[in-house]
């Protein structure tokens, strides 16, 4: 059930990419509206997932998981019926709230179901493969549904899947909770949400409004103040939603640094490479999805092998090497040109997805082993906060390098390709920085179990 729910959540991020051109034509919107189709979802998820984790520890993880499933399924139907871009963006934000409740407890449910280290490693390998594969095959699924039926079906398909997941969760998933659950940090919740929203808003509007305009400067300044205030609140409040002292734990700090790096680079750039394939090279939605399939198949193999590799190779090597391969793959994709064949991005895509296959399972194991069992909800929430915040901020920041007028085939293809190359290079630099950071933070750990045990002892 955790894997099914995770597949739904990740597909809902990635499946939208190949449908963006159809959504733009049908709902008469530009790049800004399309960026919010993804960012409204990921931003809502990122800002609420920690609070949802605290609620789950207090009220019951299965109960919160079920509430999230219901909200996610119902809002998917609203997305499918949307008659305007505003309605779609708002429905996507509600979808993100449901996704937050599900994401917040997914790893905690796995940790409860698989208490042994070896069996948990296998479960986390499946979980990691689900995340990466769902994100990678999302464009193909979106292309098939969009070309064969309508973009609305990328949301409608969630309804029967959601109903199945709700019924199965009620009958199969055990309830668990924390007898010493933390109270809800409402002040931290609102301050973090406001800070991230203003940051993404400014990054998305900067090109149109002008980076030196009063509105953009005000939004960026307010975002900086609110995010600084969040750090202050978390130090002062009795039971913070994100205890900053946890960052003294090198496993916990490495999790957040590595997760943000891969999300804000490779996962965020998918929207722009997809628009390149469709609006510059002229591929159909299905053809665009097929371009991502070779790398996806290879990533499946790498992710499946990671459970065995984890017993022989340190998570430090797997995580840092995975990020380094992501950086190398993104750099390889910068050779794409206006008149290139789709084959030109294939080598870089494959290299980056091999890196993703190494990274996801190993990082999930470090995430769940970085804190004691009773903080599993908080550990999962922090992991997903940095993942989704990375995607939201990455889409906005990398999009600032790409001219909006050229994104949907209305401007200069050369200008779009130039901006895409800059975005890929910037993303590669961020992934490489993440590789160095995780290698440093996880140094001295020899195998997966030692990481879990040592991190728990440190916490």
């Amino acid at each position: 059930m955790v894997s099914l729910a995770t597949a739904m959540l990740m597909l809902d991020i990635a499946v939208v990419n190949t449908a963006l051109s159809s959504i733009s034509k049908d709902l008469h919107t530009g790049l800004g509206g399309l960026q919010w189709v993804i960012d409204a979802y990921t931003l809502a998820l990122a800002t609420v997932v920690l609070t949802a984790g605290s609620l789950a520890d207090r009220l019951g993880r299965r109960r919160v998981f079920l509430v999230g499933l219901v909200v996610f399924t119902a809002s998917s139907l609203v997305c499918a019926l949307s008659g305007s871009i505003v309605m779609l963006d708002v429905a996507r934000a509600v979808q993100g709230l449901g996704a937050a409740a599900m994401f917040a407890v997914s790893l905690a449910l796995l940790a409860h179901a698989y208490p042994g280290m070896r069996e948990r490693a296998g479960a986390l390998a499946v979980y990691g493969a689900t995340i990466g594969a769902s994100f990678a095959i999302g464009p193909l699924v979106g292309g098939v549904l969009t070309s064969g039926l309508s973009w609305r079906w990328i949301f409608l398909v969630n309804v029967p899947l959601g109903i199945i997941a709700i019924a199965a969760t009620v009958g199969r998933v055990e309830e668990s909770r924390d007898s010493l659950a933390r109270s809800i940090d409402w002040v931290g919740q609102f301050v973090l949400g406001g800070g991230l929203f203003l940051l993404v808003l400014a990054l998305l509007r900067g090109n149109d409004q002008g980076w030196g305009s009063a509105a953009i400067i005000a939004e960026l300044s307010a975002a900086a103040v609110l995010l600084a205030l969040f750090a202050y609140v978390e130090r002062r409040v009795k039971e913070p939603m994100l205890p900053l002292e946890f960052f003294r734990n090198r496993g916990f700090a490495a999790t957040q640094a590595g997760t943000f790096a891969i999300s804000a680079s490779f996962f965020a750039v998918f929207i722009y490479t997809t628009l390149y394939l469709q609006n510059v090279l002229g591929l159909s939605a299905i053809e665009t999805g097929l371009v991502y399939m070779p790398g996806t198949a290879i990533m499946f193999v790498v992710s499946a092998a990671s459970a065995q590799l984890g017993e022989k190779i340190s998570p430090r090597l797997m995580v840092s090497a995975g990020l380094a391969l992501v950086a190398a793959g993104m750099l390889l994709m910068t050779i794409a040109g206006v008149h290139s064949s789709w084959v030109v991005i294939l080598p870089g895509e494959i290299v980056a997805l091999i890196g993703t296959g190494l990274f996801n399972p190993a990082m999930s194991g470090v995430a769940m082993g970085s804190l004691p069992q009773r903080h599993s909800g908080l550990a999962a929430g922090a992991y997903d906060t940095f993942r989704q915040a990375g995607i939201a901020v990455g889409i906005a920041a990398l999009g600032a390098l790409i001219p909006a007028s050229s994104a949907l085939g209305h401007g200069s293809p050369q200008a779009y390709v130039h901006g895409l190359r800059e975005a890929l290079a910037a993303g590669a630099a961020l992934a490489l920085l993440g590789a160095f950071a995780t290698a440093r933070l996880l140094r001295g750990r020899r195998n997966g179990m030692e990481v879990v045990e040592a991190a728990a002892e440190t916490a």
Side-chain angles (χ1 to χ4, degrees):
M1 287 308 96
V2 168
S3 293
L4 175 59
T6 300
M8 291 169 59
L9 300 180
M10 297 307 296
L11 279 172
D12 239 56
I13 299 172
V15 77
V16 176
N17 286 340
T18 48
L20 290 175
S21 293
S22 296
I23 293 173
S24 174
K25 294 174 183 176
D26 195 14
L27 300 184
H28 309 291
T29 186
L31 181 61
L34 296 180
Q35 288 169 320
W36 275 114
V37 171
I38 299 176
D39 269 358
Y41 176 87
T42 55
L43 194 58
L45 200 164
T47 54
V48 176
V49 70
L50 277 171
T51 296
S54 296
L55 282 171
D57 288 341
R58 178 179 293 270
L59 301 178
R61 290 158 185 154
R62 188 185 73 160
R63 179 182 299 178
V64 171
F65 188 74
L66 276 171
V67 170
L69 271 172
V70 171
V71 172
F72 184 88
T73 303
S75 57
S76 294
L77 181 60
V78 177
C79 287
L81 300 176
S82 295
S84 68
I85 191 63
V86 174
M87 183 178 178
L88 178 58
D89 288 343
V90 171
R92 286 283 286 169
V94 177
Q95 238 190 350
L97 298 178
M102 296 158 65
F103 251 140
V105 296
S106 58
L107 286 177
L109 289 174
L110 285 182
H112 178 75
Y114 297 95
M117 293 300 178
R118 291 187 181 276
E119 60 179 0
R120 187 183 300 178
L124 290 174
V126 175
Y127 180 79
T130 300
I131 290 176
S134 298
F135 203 94
I137 68 172
L140 177 59
V141 174
V144 170
L145 293 174
T146 301
S147 298
L149 297 167
S150 163
W151 65 265
R152 299 181 187 276
W153 279 90
I154 65 177
F155 302 112
L156 279 175
V157 73
N158 288 330
V159 177
L161 292 176
I163 293 172
I164 292 171
I166 290 168
T169 300
V170 170
R172 297 286 183 174
V173 178
E174 293 183 0
E175 183 62 279
S176 64
R177 55 172 54 86
D178 183 2
S179 59
L180 301 174
R182 311 167 69 84
S183 61
I184 308 303
D185 178 14
W186 293 113
V187 176
Q189 169 66 73
F190 290 115
V191 172
L192 176 63
L196 286 177
F197 173 77
L198 287 173
L199 174 61
V200 171
L201 180 66
L203 291 173
L204 289 178
R205 299 192 327 137
N207 281 344
D208 291 337
Q209 299 290 322
W211 294 101
S213 67
I216 299 303
I217 292 175
E219 289 166 3
L220 288 174
S221 300
V225 170
L226 287 175
L227 292 175
L229 181 60
F230 174 73
Y232 176 81
V233 168
E234 298 308 279
R235 287 186 177 278
R236 298 291 181 177
V237 71
K238 184 178 180 181
E239 293 185 307
M241 62 187 289
L242 182 60
L244 299 185
E245 63 268 20
F246 284 172
F247 283 93
R248 297 173 185 169
N249 179 315
R250 290 187 289 127
F252 184 83
T255 298
Q256 316 322 322
T259 300
F260 186 89
I262 195 170
S263 298
S265 57
F266 187 52
F267 288 170
V269 86
F270 260 96
I271 178 177
Y272 303 114
T273 56
T274 300
L275 290 175
Y276 163 75
L277 291 171
Q278 288 187 332
N279 296 316
V280 176
L281 300 189
L283 271 62
S284 68
I286 292 179
E287 290 170 336
T288 299
L290 287 171
V291 171
Y292 295 116
M293 287 305 295
T296 302
I298 293 174
M299 189 195 65
F300 262 121
V301 175
V302 175
S303 294
S306 65
Q308 287 73 36
L309 288 174
E311 298 179 5
K312 301 176 182 179
I313 302 176
S314 71
R316 176 187 184 233
L317 179 58
M318 291 176 66
V319 168
S320 57
L323 283 168
L325 286 172
V326 167
M330 295 183 73
L331 285 176
L332 283 174
M333 286 191 279
T334 59
I335 65 174
V338 174
H339 303 293
S340 298
S341 164
W342 61 268
V343 178
V344 75
I345 73 166
L346 199 57
E349 170 207 327
I350 290 174
V351 170
L353 283 170
I354 289 173
T356 303
L358 287 173
F359 175 90
N360 277 329
M363 196 81 270
S364 295
V366 174
M368 291 313 298
S370 62
L371 297 178
Q373 176 68 26
R374 71 184 188 89
H375 290 312
S376 59
L378 193 151
Y383 180 56
D384 292 324
T385 292
F386 278 82
R387 177 183 294 278
Q388 304 307 323
I391 293 174
V393 173
I395 286 174
L398 297 181
L401 301 172
I402 298 174
S405 60
S406 303
L408 297 170
H410 304 308
S412 166
Q414 186 60 55
Y416 184 84
V417 169
H418 178 74
L420 177 62
R421 287 171 177 168
E422 291 186 346
L424 286 166
L430 178 58
L432 193 58
L433 181 62
F436 283 120
T438 52
R440 181 174 178 81
L441 289 167
L442 294 176
R443 67 187 185 279
R445 312 297 176 89
R446 290 186 297 276
N447 58 60
M449 293 183 190
E450 186 176 343
V451 169
V452 172
E453 293 164 0
E457 289 172 5
T458 301

